[in-house]
Each structure stands twice: as structure tokens, then as C-alpha cells.
Amino acid sequence: MNCLQATKLISDAQERELNFNEKIGVKTHVMLCPHCRKFQAQCAKMHDLMKQFAGNKPE
Ligand SMILES: [Zn+2]
């Protein structure tokens, strides 16, 4: 897996459940690649913010 595939799957993971092979691929790549590890952390943070935002709708 290269960085392009990894980042694609990392952003996909915010919207759908990755299959077993995809999860393993991402996990392995992220362990070896600081760039994608950072991207994944940012994605998770962004996803949390979005969830908070969606949960705090104005009345
Ligand atoms: Zn990478």
C-alpha cells in the first residue's frame, strides 16, 4: 500500500467500516509512515469535531 491508498482508506474509514484487509493494510502502513499517522490523527480529530457539531444543533 502506498500513501495515496492509505490516505484514501483513512478518509473512507470516517464514512464506512473498512474490511479486514483494508484495516490491516492501513494499520501496517500507519505504523511505518509518520506522514499517514499524522493524517489519520487529524482525520479522527476532524470526525470528532463534526460529530460534536452535528450534536449541537441550534434550537
Ligand atoms: Zn504513508
Side-chain angles (χ1 to χ4, degrees), residues 2 5 16 24 32 37 40-41 46 51 56:
N2 61 33
Q5 291 168 314
R16 67 176 175 90
I24 297 293
L32 301 170
R37 195 151 59 222
Q40 189 180 45
M46 188 80 90
K51 263 199 317 211
N56 288 326

Side-chain angles (χ1 to χ4, degrees), residues 2-3 6 29 33 35-36:
N2 61 33
C3 287
H29 184 92
C33 177
H35 172 77
C36 290

